[in-house]
Amino acid sequence: MPFPDALLAIPHRRDIPFSRLTTLGVGGLCRWLFEPRTEEEAQRFIHCCFNEKMPYRILGGGANILALGDVEEPVLRLNLDGECRVEGSLIQASASHGHILLAEKAANAGLSGLEWAAGIPGRLGGAIRMNAGAHGGEWAQVLDRYRFLTPEGDLVEKSPEAGDFSYRWSHLQGGHLILSASARLVPSETAAIRAAMQVFRVKRAASQPKERSAGCFFKNPIGDSAGRLIDAAGLKGQRVGDAMVSPLHANFLVNQGKATPAQFQELMAIVREAVFQTYGVVLETEVEIW
Ligand code: EPU
């Protein structure tokens, strides 16, 4: 693919296996991985792609992606300074900041409201883009301001408004790039925040597998749980090669070692078909399929 010089001036690497870029550890090759170190470089990337009418993809921590094959179009993964700032009850960080680390920094600063995030891997940008959540908490509840680039490369800074975020969804799909965000939290005792985080960690360790996964694989259908449905359809432990429905939590499809994209694709189809045949429910993936 002939890329313009302005794009090639941005730091990039070639042919990186998605097994190294995603928590699930499965996939083909990322042919072009662009890693801008500054917001200006990121904006240049988007402008170039927009001008050339070239599709691109955005990768965060790779914690919610199943890459089924090689990806030829340019992939952007921000490599911004991971600093975070606390000002009063606000904590602000770049999209590249580690999600779990941010929850820990909030606790250290005596700020409550991100305890639920303590066990969710990935980066801040990805967490906001999918409105990540657990234990009744989600980003939409604490998000104060966020800055992003539109698919045309325009910089926008705003506060969340009605309709911007819903269950595991935000308006920041289709080429929007989150640059930074701040959360409005509540001052509290660090010890109490840490204790709440520990309760969530213990709960998570007891109910979610430690093998490589992309977190919950399917969205919960309204009023029900995908895990409960897959479990009740008798699929716990179901395997296709090294791809397996976790015996611990049925909504986790785990990589037992050397799972291939084809094995995951087949397992995913078996699960959807069984849940549809048994309950008439069409499961929608929560994981993004590339
Ligand atoms: N259940 C089963 N069998 C299973 C798994 C679950 O019967 O194999 C039952 C549980 O006993 C419970 C119900 O299903 O009665 C709900 O299960 P759980 O409490 O584990 O919550 P979940 O709805 O499966 C959601 C989020 C998780 C988040 C947990 C904890 C989704 C798709 N999942 O899971 O988020 O960690 O609540 O708050 O929204 C993720 O987003 O990647 C993720 C893992």
Side-chain angles (χ1 to χ4, degrees), residues 118-204:
I120 300 183
R123 299 182 184 185
L124 176 61
I128 289 175
R129 180 176 178 275
M130 68 168 298
N131 189 19
H135 313 292
E138 60 176 17
W139 262 99
Q141 296 166 1
V142 292
L143 187 59
D144 183 60
R145 305 277 295 169
Y146 55 111
R147 295 169 57 256
F148 60 92
L149 296 172
T150 67
E152 294 77 38
D154 298 329
L155 177 66
V156 177
E157 175 170 353
K158 70 190 286 290
S159 297
E161 293 163 81
D164 283 347
F165 293 85
S166 61
Y167 168 64
R168 300 294 189 274
W169 180 89
S170 80
H171 67 108
L172 300 161
Q173 316 285 325
H176 289 78
L177 177 69
I178 299 159
L179 295 173
S180 67
S182 60
R184 183 168 294 282
L185 304 173
V186 178
S188 180
E189 291 287 327
T190 293
I193 300 169
R194 289 205 170 288
M197 284 166 109
Q198 187 55 16
V199 169
F200 290 147
R201 279 203 196 97
V202 168
K203 219 171 145 182
R204 187 183 172 92

Coordinates of all heavy atoms in Angstrom, one line a residue, residues 118-204:
A118 N -10.5 -1.4 39.1 CA -9.2 -1.9 39.5 C -8.9 -3.2 38.8 O -7.7 -3.6 38.8 CB -9.3 -2.2 41.0
G119 N -9.9 -4.0 38.3 CA -9.6 -5.2 37.7 C -9.7 -5.2 36.2 O -9.6 -6.3 35.5
I120 N -10.0 -4.1 35.6 CA -10.2 -4.0 34.1 C -9.0 -3.6 33.4 O -8.5 -2.4 33.5 CB -11.4 -3.1 33.8 CG1 -12.7 -3.6 34.5 CG2 -11.6 -3.0 32.3 CD1 -13.9 -2.7 34.2
P121 N -8.4 -4.5 32.6 CA -7.1 -4.2 31.9 C -7.3 -3.2 30.7 O -8.4 -2.7 30.5 CB -6.6 -5.5 31.4 CG -7.9 -6.3 31.2 CD -8.8 -5.8 32.3
G122 N -6.3 -2.9 30.0 CA -6.4 -2.0 28.9 C -5.9 -0.6 29.2 O -5.3 -0.4 30.3
R123 N -6.3 0.3 28.3 CA -5.9 1.7 28.5 C -7.1 2.6 28.7 O -8.2 2.2 28.3 CB -5.1 2.2 27.3 CG -3.8 1.3 27.1 CD -3.0 1.9 26.0 NE -1.8 1.0 25.7 CZ -0.9 1.3 24.8 NH1 -1.0 2.4 24.1 NH2 0.1 0.5 24.7
L124 N -6.8 3.8 29.2 CA -7.9 4.7 29.4 C -8.8 5.0 28.2 O -10.0 5.0 28.2 CB -7.4 6.0 30.0 CG -8.4 7.1 30.2 CD1 -9.4 6.7 31.3 CD2 -7.7 8.4 30.7
G125 N -8.1 5.2 27.0 CA -8.8 5.5 25.8 C -9.8 4.4 25.4 O -11.0 4.7 25.1
G126 N -9.4 3.2 25.5 CA -10.2 2.1 25.1 C -11.4 1.9 26.1 O -12.5 1.6 25.7
A127 N -11.1 2.1 27.4 CA -12.1 2.0 28.4 C -13.2 3.0 28.2 O -14.4 2.7 28.3 CB -11.5 2.2 29.8
I128 N -12.9 4.2 27.8 CA -13.9 5.3 27.6 C -14.6 5.0 26.3 O -15.9 5.1 26.2 CB -13.2 6.7 27.6 CG1 -12.8 7.0 29.0 CG2 -14.2 7.7 27.0 CD1 -12.1 8.2 29.2
R129 N -13.9 4.6 25.3 CA -14.6 4.3 24.0 C -15.7 3.3 24.1 O -16.7 3.4 23.5 CB -13.5 3.9 23.0 CG -14.2 3.6 21.6 CD -13.1 3.2 20.6 NE -13.7 2.9 19.3 CZ -14.2 1.7 19.0 NH1 -14.1 0.7 19.9 NH2 -14.7 1.5 17.8
M130 N -15.4 2.3 25.0 CA -16.5 1.2 25.1 C -17.3 1.4 26.4 O -18.1 0.6 26.7 CB -15.9 -0.1 25.1 CG -15.0 -0.4 26.3 SD -14.6 -2.2 26.4 CE -16.2 -2.9 26.6
N131 N -17.1 2.6 27.1 CA -17.8 2.8 28.3 C -17.7 1.5 29.2 O -18.7 1.0 29.7 CB -19.3 3.2 28.1 CG -19.9 3.6 29.4 OD1 -19.3 4.0 30.4 ND2 -21.3 3.6 29.4
A132 N -16.4 1.2 29.5 CA -16.1 0.0 30.3 C -16.7 0.1 31.7 O -16.9 1.2 32.2 CB -14.6 -0.2 30.4
G133 N -17.1 -1.0 32.2 CA -17.6 -1.0 33.6 C -17.6 -2.4 34.2 O -17.3 -3.4 33.6
A134 N -17.9 -2.4 35.5 CA -18.0 -3.6 36.3 C -18.6 -3.2 37.7 O -18.5 -2.1 38.1 CB -16.6 -4.2 36.5
H135 N -19.2 -4.2 38.3 CA -19.7 -4.1 39.7 C -20.6 -2.8 39.8 O -20.6 -2.1 40.8 CB -18.6 -4.0 40.7 CG -17.6 -5.0 40.5 ND1 -17.8 -6.4 40.7 CD2 -16.3 -5.0 40.0 CE1 -16.7 -7.1 40.4 NE2 -15.8 -6.3 40.0
G136 N -21.4 -2.6 38.8 CA -22.4 -1.4 38.9 C -21.8 -0.1 38.5 O -22.5 0.9 38.4
G137 N -20.4 0.0 38.3 CA -19.8 1.2 37.9 C -19.5 1.2 36.4 O -19.4 0.2 35.8
E138 N -19.4 2.4 35.8 CA -19.0 2.5 34.4 C -18.4 3.9 34.2 O -18.7 4.8 35.0 CB -20.1 2.2 33.5 CG -21.3 3.1 33.6 CD -22.4 2.8 32.6 OE1 -22.4 1.8 31.9 OE2 -23.3 3.7 32.4
W139 N -17.7 4.1 33.1 CA -17.0 5.4 32.9 C -18.0 6.5 32.8 O -17.8 7.6 33.3 CB -16.1 5.3 31.6 CG -14.7 5.1 32.1 CD1 -14.1 3.9 32.1 CD2 -13.9 6.1 32.7 NE1 -12.9 4.1 32.7 CE2 -12.7 5.4 33.1 CE3 -14.0 7.4 33.0 CZ2 -11.7 6.0 33.7 CZ3 -12.9 8.1 33.6 CH2 -11.8 7.4 34.0
A140 N -19.2 6.3 32.2 CA -20.1 7.4 32.0 C -20.5 8.0 33.3 O -20.9 9.2 33.4 CB -21.4 6.9 31.3
Q141 N -20.4 7.3 34.4 CA -20.8 7.8 35.7 C -19.8 8.8 36.3 O -20.1 9.7 37.1 CB -21.0 6.7 36.8 CG -22.1 5.7 36.5 CD -22.0 4.5 37.3 OE1 -21.1 4.3 38.1 NE2 -22.9 3.5 37.1
V142 N -18.5 8.7 35.9 CA -17.5 9.6 36.5 C -16.8 10.5 35.5 O -16.1 11.4 35.9 CB -16.4 8.7 37.2 CG1 -17.0 8.0 38.4 CG2 -15.8 7.7 36.2
L143 N -17.0 10.3 34.2 CA -16.3 11.1 33.2 C -16.7 12.6 33.3 O -17.9 12.9 33.4 CB -16.7 10.5 31.8 CG -16.0 11.1 30.6 CD1 -14.5 10.9 30.7 CD2 -16.5 10.4 29.3
D144 N -15.7 13.4 33.3 CA -15.9 14.9 33.5 C -15.8 15.5 32.1 O -16.7 16.0 31.5 CB -14.9 15.4 34.5 CG -15.2 16.9 34.7 OD1 -16.3 17.2 35.1 OD2 -14.3 17.7 34.5
R145 N -14.5 15.6 31.6 CA -14.2 16.2 30.3 C -13.5 15.1 29.5 O -12.7 14.3 30.1 CB -13.4 17.4 30.4 CG -13.9 18.5 31.3 CD -15.0 19.3 30.6 NE -14.5 20.2 29.5 CZ -15.2 20.8 28.7 NH1 -16.6 20.8 28.8 NH2 -14.7 21.6 27.7
Y146 N -13.6 15.1 28.2 CA -12.7 14.3 27.4 C -12.4 15.0 26.1 O -13.2 15.8 25.6 CB -13.3 12.9 27.1 CG -14.7 12.9 26.5 CD1 -14.9 12.4 25.2 CD2 -15.8 13.3 27.2 CE1 -16.2 12.4 24.7 CE2 -17.1 13.2 26.7 CZ -17.3 12.8 25.4 OH -18.5 12.8 24.9
R147 N -11.2 14.7 25.6 CA -10.7 15.4 24.3 C -10.5 14.3 23.3 O -10.0 13.2 23.6 CB -9.4 16.1 24.6 CG -9.6 17.3 25.5 CD -8.2 17.8 26.0 NE -7.4 18.3 24.9 CZ -6.3 17.6 24.5 NH1 -5.9 16.5 25.1 NH2 -5.6 18.1 23.5
F148 N -10.9 14.5 22.1 CA -10.7 13.5 21.0 C -10.6 14.2 19.7 O -10.9 15.4 19.5 CB -11.9 12.6 21.0 CG -13.3 13.2 20.8 CD1 -13.8 13.3 19.5 CD2 -14.0 13.7 21.8 CE1 -15.0 13.8 19.2 CE2 -15.3 14.2 21.6 CZ -15.8 14.3 20.3
L149 N -10.1 13.4 18.7 CA -10.0 13.8 17.3 C -11.2 13.2 16.6 O -11.4 12.0 16.7 CB -8.7 13.4 16.7 CG -7.4 14.1 17.3 CD1 -6.2 13.4 16.7 CD2 -7.4 15.6 17.1
T150 N -11.9 14.0 15.7 CA -12.9 13.4 14.9 C -12.2 12.6 13.7 O -11.0 12.8 13.5 CB -13.8 14.5 14.3 OG1 -13.0 15.3 13.4 CG2 -14.4 15.4 15.4
P151 N -13.0 11.9 13.0 CA -12.4 11.2 11.8 C -11.9 12.1 10.8 O -11.2 11.7 9.9 CB -13.6 10.4 11.3 CG -14.6 10.2 12.4 CD -14.4 11.4 13.3
E152 N -12.3 13.4 10.9 CA -11.7 14.4 9.9 C -10.5 15.0 10.5 O -9.8 15.9 9.9 CB -12.8 15.6 9.7 CG -14.1 15.1 9.0 CD -15.0 14.4 9.9 OE1 -15.1 14.7 11.1 OE2 -15.7 13.4 9.4
G153 N -10.1 14.7 11.8 CA -8.9 15.2 12.4 C -9.1 16.5 13.2 O -8.2 17.1 13.6
D154 N -10.4 16.9 13.4 CA -10.7 18.1 14.3 C -10.6 17.7 15.7 O -11.1 16.7 16.2 CB -12.0 18.6 13.9 CG -12.2 19.1 12.5 OD1 -11.1 19.5 11.9 OD2 -13.3 19.0 11.9
L155 N -10.0 18.6 16.5 CA -9.9 18.4 18.0 C -11.1 18.9 18.7 O -11.6 20.1 18.4 CB -8.7 19.2 18.5 CG -8.4 19.1 20.0 CD1 -8.1 17.7 20.4 CD2 -7.3 20.1 20.4
V156 N -11.7 18.1 19.5 CA -12.9 18.4 20.2 C -12.7 18.2 21.7 O -12.1 17.2 22.1 CB -14.2 17.6 19.8 CG1 -15.4 17.9 20.6 CG2 -14.4 17.8 18.3
E157 N -13.1 19.1 22.6 CA -13.1 18.9 24.0 C -14.5 19.1 24.5 O -15.1 20.1 24.2 CB -12.1 19.8 24.7 CG -12.2 19.6 26.2 CD -11.1 20.3 27.0 OE1 -10.2 20.9 26.4 OE2 -11.2 20.3 28.2
K158 N -15.0 18.2 25.3 CA -16.4 18.3 25.8 C -16.6 17.5 27.1 O -15.8 16.7 27.5 CB -17.4 17.9 24.7 CG -17.4 16.4 24.4 CD -18.2 16.1 23.2 CE -19.7 16.3 23.3 NZ -20.3 15.2 24.2
S159 N -17.8 17.8 27.6 CA -18.3 16.9 28.7 C -19.4 16.0 28.1 O -20.0 16.3 27.1 CB -19.0 17.8 29.8 OG -18.1 18.7 30.3
P160 N -19.6 14.9 28.8 CA -20.6 13.9 28.3 C -22.0 14.5 28.3 O -22.3 15.3 29.2 CB -20.5 12.7 29.2 CG -19.6 13.0 30.3 CD -18.9 14.3 30.0
E161 N -22.8 14.3 27.2 CA -24.1 14.7 27.2 C -25.1 13.5 27.0 O -24.6 12.4 26.6 CB -24.3 15.7 26.0 CG -23.6 17.0 26.1 CD -23.4 17.7 24.7 OE1 -24.4 18.3 24.3 OE2 -22.4 17.5 24.1
A162 N -26.4 13.7 27.2 CA -27.3 12.6 27.0 C -27.1 12.0 25.6 O -27.0 12.7 24.6 CB -28.7 13.2 27.2
G163 N -27.1 10.7 25.6 CA -27.0 10.0 24.3 C -25.6 9.7 23.9 O -25.3 8.9 23.0
D164 N -24.6 10.2 24.6 CA -23.2 10.0 24.2 C -22.7 8.6 24.6 O -21.8 8.1 24.0 CB -22.3 11.1 24.9 CG -22.3 12.4 24.2 OD1 -22.9 12.5 23.1 OD2 -21.8 13.4 24.7
F165 N -23.2 8.1 25.8 CA -22.7 6.9 26.3 C -23.9 6.0 26.7 O -24.9 6.5 27.2 CB -21.9 7.1 27.6 CG -20.6 7.8 27.3 CD1 -20.5 9.2 27.2 CD2 -19.4 7.0 27.0 CE1 -19.3 9.8 26.9 CE2 -18.2 7.7 26.7 CZ -18.2 9.1 26.6
S166 N -23.8 4.7 26.5 CA -24.8 3.7 27.0 C -24.0 2.5 27.4 O -22.8 2.4 27.3 CB -25.9 3.5 26.0 OG -25.3 2.9 24.8
Y167 N -24.7 1.4 27.7 CA -24.1 0.1 28.1 C -23.0 -0.3 27.1 O -23.4 -0.6 25.9 CB -25.2 -0.9 28.3 CG -24.6 -2.3 28.5 CD1 -23.9 -2.7 29.6 CD2 -24.9 -3.3 27.5 CE1 -23.4 -3.9 29.7 CE2 -24.4 -4.6 27.7 CZ -23.6 -4.9 28.8 OH -23.1 -6.2 28.9
R168 N -21.8 -0.3 27.5 CA -20.7 -0.8 26.7 C -20.6 -0.1 25.3 O -20.2 -0.7 24.3 CB -20.6 -2.3 26.5 CG -20.6 -3.1 27.8 CD -19.2 -2.8 28.5 NE -19.1 -3.7 29.6 CZ -19.5 -3.5 30.8 NH1 -20.1 -2.4 31.1 NH2 -19.4 -4.4 31.8
W169 N -21.1 1.1 25.2 CA -21.1 1.8 23.9 C -20.8 3.3 24.2 O -21.3 3.9 25.2 CB -22.5 1.7 23.3 CG -22.6 2.4 21.9 CD1 -22.3 1.9 20.7 CD2 -23.0 3.7 21.7 NE1 -22.5 2.8 19.8 CE2 -23.0 4.0 20.3 CE3 -23.5 4.8 22.6 CZ2 -23.3 5.2 19.8 CZ3 -23.8 6.0 22.0 CH2 -23.7 6.2 20.6
S170 N -20.2 4.0 23.2 CA -20.1 5.4 23.2 C -20.2 5.9 21.8 O -20.2 5.2 20.9 CB -18.7 5.9 23.8 OG -17.7 5.8 22.8
H171 N -20.4 7.3 21.7 CA -20.5 7.8 20.3 C -19.1 7.9 19.7 O -19.0 8.3 18.5 CB -21.1 9.3 20.4 CG -20.2 10.2 21.1 ND1 -19.5 11.2 20.4 CD2 -19.8 10.4 22.4 CE1 -18.8 11.9 21.3 NE2 -18.9 11.4 22.5
L172 N -18.0 7.5 20.4 CA -16.7 7.6 19.8 C -16.3 6.4 19.0 O -15.2 5.8 19.2 CB -15.7 7.8 21.0 CG -16.0 9.1 21.8 CD1 -15.4 9.0 23.2 CD2 -15.6 10.3 21.0
Q173 N -17.2 6.0 18.1 CA -16.9 4.8 17.3 C -16.4 5.3 15.9 O -16.4 6.5 15.7 CB -18.1 4.0 17.1 CG -18.9 3.7 18.3 CD -18.3 2.7 19.3 OE1 -17.7 1.7 18.8 NE2 -18.4 2.9 20.6
G174 N -16.0 4.4 15.0 CA -15.8 4.8 13.6 C -14.7 5.8 13.4 O -15.0 6.8 12.7
G175 N -13.6 5.7 14.0 CA -12.4 6.5 13.6 C -12.2 7.7 14.6 O -11.3 8.5 14.4
H176 N -13.0 7.9 15.6 CA -12.8 8.9 16.6 C -11.6 8.4 17.5 O -11.5 7.3 17.9 CB -14.0 9.1 17.5 CG -15.1 9.8 16.9 ND1 -16.0 9.1 16.0 CD2 -15.6 11.1 16.9 CE1 -16.9 10.0 15.6 NE2 -16.7 11.2 16.1
L177 N -10.7 9.3 17.8 CA -9.5 9.0 18.6 C -9.5 9.8 19.9 O -9.3 11.0 19.9 CB -8.2 9.3 17.8 CG -6.9 9.0 18.6 CD1 -6.8 7.5 18.8 CD2 -5.7 9.6 17.9
I178 N -9.7 9.1 21.0 CA -9.6 9.8 22.3 C -8.2 10.1 22.7 O -7.3 9.3 22.5 CB -10.3 8.8 23.4 CG1 -11.7 8.6 23.0 CG2 -10.2 9.5 24.8 CD1 -12.3 7.3 23.7
L179 N -8.0 11.3 23.1 CA -6.6 11.8 23.5 C -6.4 11.8 25.0 O -5.3 11.4 25.4 CB -6.3 13.2 22.9 CG -6.3 13.3 21.4 CD1 -6.3 14.7 20.9 CD2 -5.2 12.5 20.8
S180 N -7.4 12.3 25.7 CA -7.2 12.4 27.1 C -8.6 12.5 27.8 O -9.6 12.8 27.1 CB -6.3 13.6 27.6 OG -7.0 14.8 27.2
A181 N -8.7 12.3 29.1 CA -9.9 12.4 29.8 C -9.7 12.7 31.2 O -8.6 12.5 31.8 CB -10.7 11.1 29.6
S182 N -10.8 13.2 31.9 CA -10.7 13.4 33.3 C -11.9 12.9 34.0 O -13.0 12.8 33.3 CB -10.5 14.9 33.7 OG -11.6 15.6 33.2
A183 N -11.8 12.4 35.2 CA -12.9 11.8 36.0 C -13.1 12.7 37.2 O -12.2 13.2 37.8 CB -12.5 10.4 36.4
R184 N -14.4 13.0 37.5 CA -14.7 13.7 38.7 C -15.1 12.7 39.8 O -16.0 11.9 39.7 CB -15.9 14.6 38.4 CG -16.3 15.5 39.7 CD -17.3 16.6 39.4 NE -16.7 17.6 38.4 CZ -15.9 18.6 38.8 NH1 -15.5 18.7 40.1 NH2 -15.4 19.5 38.0
L185 N -14.2 12.7 40.8 CA -14.3 11.7 41.9 C -14.7 12.3 43.2 O -15.0 13.5 43.2 CB -13.0 10.9 42.0 CG -12.6 10.3 40.6 CD1 -11.2 9.6 40.7 CD2 -13.6 9.2 40.1
V186 N -14.8 11.5 44.2 CA -15.2 12.0 45.5 C -14.1 11.8 46.6 O -13.7 10.6 46.7 CB -16.5 11.3 45.9 CG1 -17.0 11.7 47.3 CG2 -17.6 11.5 44.9
P187 N -13.7 12.8 47.3 CA -12.7 12.6 48.3 C -13.1 11.6 49.3 O -14.2 11.6 49.8 CB -12.5 14.0 48.9 CG -13.0 15.0 47.9 CD -14.1 14.2 47.1
S188 N -12.2 10.7 49.7 CA -12.5 9.7 50.7 C -11.2 9.2 51.2 O -10.1 9.6 50.8 CB -13.3 8.6 49.9 OG -13.6 7.5 50.8
E189 N -11.3 8.3 52.2 CA -10.1 7.7 52.8 C -9.4 6.7 51.9 O -10.1 5.8 51.4 CB -10.5 6.9 54.1 CG -10.9 7.8 55.3 CD -9.8 8.6 55.9 OE1 -8.7 8.0 55.9 OE2 -10.0 9.7 56.3
T190 N -8.1 6.8 51.7 CA -7.4 5.8 50.8 C -7.6 4.4 51.3 O -7.9 3.5 50.5 CB -5.9 6.2 50.8 OG1 -5.8 7.4 50.1 CG2 -5.1 5.1 50.0
A191 N -7.6 4.2 52.6 CA -7.8 2.8 53.1 C -9.1 2.2 52.8 O -9.2 1.1 52.4 CB -7.6 2.8 54.7
A192 N -10.2 3.1 52.8 CA -11.5 2.6 52.5 C -11.6 2.3 51.0 O -12.2 1.3 50.6 CB -12.6 3.6 52.9
I193 N -11.0 3.1 50.2 CA -11.0 2.9 48.7 C -10.3 1.6 48.4 O -10.8 0.8 47.6 CB -10.3 4.1 48.0 CG1 -11.1 5.4 48.3 CG2 -10.3 3.8 46.5 CD1 -10.4 6.7 47.9
R194 N -9.1 1.4 49.0 CA -8.3 0.2 48.8 C -9.1 -1.0 49.2 O -9.1 -2.1 48.5 CB -7.0 0.3 49.6 CG -6.0 1.3 49.0 CD -4.6 0.9 49.4 NE -3.7 1.7 48.6 CZ -3.5 1.6 47.3 NH1 -4.1 0.7 46.6 NH2 -2.7 2.5 46.7
A195 N -9.8 -0.9 50.3 CA -10.6 -2.1 50.8 C -11.7 -2.4 49.8 O -11.9 -3.6 49.5 CB -11.2 -1.8 52.2
A196 N -12.3 -1.4 49.3 CA -13.4 -1.7 48.3 C -12.8 -2.3 47.0 O -13.4 -3.3 46.4 CB -14.1 -0.4 47.9
M197 N -11.6 -1.8 46.6 CA -11.0 -2.4 45.4 C -10.6 -3.9 45.7 O -10.8 -4.7 44.8 CB -9.7 -1.6 45.1 CG -9.9 -0.3 44.5 SD -8.4 0.7 44.5 CE -8.0 0.7 42.8
Q198 N -10.2 -4.2 46.9 CA -9.8 -5.5 47.2 C -11.0 -6.5 47.2 O -10.9 -7.6 46.7 CB -9.1 -5.5 48.6 CG -8.5 -6.9 49.0 CD -7.5 -7.4 48.0 OE1 -7.0 -6.7 47.1 NE2 -7.2 -8.7 48.1
V199 N -12.1 -6.0 47.6 CA -13.4 -6.8 47.6 C -13.7 -7.1 46.1 O -14.0 -8.3 45.8 CB -14.6 -6.1 48.2 CG1 -15.9 -6.8 47.9 CG2 -14.3 -5.9 49.7
F200 N -13.6 -6.1 45.2 CA -13.9 -6.4 43.8 C -12.8 -7.3 43.2 O -13.2 -8.2 42.4 CB -13.8 -5.1 43.0 CG -15.0 -4.2 43.3 CD1 -14.9 -2.8 43.3 CD2 -16.3 -4.7 43.6 CE1 -16.0 -1.9 43.6 CE2 -17.3 -3.9 43.9 CZ -17.2 -2.5 43.9
R201 N -11.6 -7.2 43.6 CA -10.5 -8.1 43.1 C -10.8 -9.5 43.5 O -10.6 -10.4 42.6 CB -9.1 -7.6 43.6 CG -8.6 -6.5 42.8 CD -7.0 -6.4 43.0 NE -6.6 -5.1 42.6 CZ -6.3 -4.1 43.4 NH1 -6.4 -4.3 44.7 NH2 -5.9 -3.0 43.0
V202 N -11.1 -9.7 44.7 CA -11.4 -11.1 45.2 C -12.6 -11.7 44.5 O -12.5 -12.8 44.0 CB -11.6 -11.1 46.8 CG1 -12.2 -12.4 47.3 CG2 -10.3 -10.7 47.5
K203 N -13.6 -10.9 44.3 CA -14.8 -11.3 43.6 C -14.5 -11.7 42.2 O -14.9 -12.8 41.6 CB -15.8 -10.2 43.6 CG -17.3 -10.6 43.8 CD -18.1 -9.3 44.0 CE -19.5 -9.5 43.3 NZ -20.3 -8.4 43.4
R204 N -13.7 -10.9 41.5 CA -13.3 -11.1 40.2 C -12.4 -12.4 40.0 O -12.6 -13.2 39.2 CB -12.5 -9.9 39.7 CG -12.2 -9.9 38.2 CD -11.3 -8.7 37.8 NE -10.8 -8.8 36.5 CZ -11.5 -8.3 35.4 NH1 -12.6 -7.7 35.6 NH2 -11.0 -8.4 34.2

